Amino acid sequence: MALNREEREQFLAEPHIAALAVDSGEEGRAPLTVPIWYQYEPGGDVWIMTGRDSRKAKLIGAAGRFSLMVERLDPTIRYVSVEGPVVATEAATREQLQEMAARYLPAEKVDGYVEMAWKEHGEQVVVRLSPARWVSSDLGSI
């Protein structure tokens, strides 16, 4: 059964690992699909952080859009997929890295991760997606 707007937005707001998909830009190749951390608050834009010069960033820039899909298996089988245009790309800040890390990591691991990532991951960008199309379902506990 499809989720209503409130249910799908709340589910997307939970800290799932998303599968990001973007057109590979190459004839005969499937879309690039990779796992990624993301941030979302109901009613807002979805944002991700990635290396400025990464293949993912370049493909998103060329396509001008991407999709994210999140899922769970327990207590029910549920997924939400969102797709839309890129509405902004900006240099990432340390505060955004801190926010993202705090969403996914135990509190005692956040500062160490942020320190390492800020030094070792190179220049990062934040890419914002405006949700335009949603697909969702809760299949219950089959």
Side-chain angles (χ1 to χ4, degrees), residues 93-113:
T93 66
R94 191 177 180 109
E95 291 75 22
Q96 289 167 320
L97 178 58
Q98 182 87 22
E99 178 182 343
M100 188 71 77
R103 177 172 163 85
Y104 288 96
L105 298 174
E108 68 275 8
K109 301 285 187 183
V110 172
D111 289 341
Y113 174 81

Side-chain angles (χ1 to χ4, degrees), residues 46-67:
V46 178
W47 61 271
I48 62 161
M49 187 177 294
T50 190
R52 186 193 68 184
D53 297 322
S54 68
R55 179 172 183 235
K56 180 174 34 218
K58 290 175 184 175
L59 291 175
I60 291 170
R65 63 189 319 106
F66 63 96
S67 64

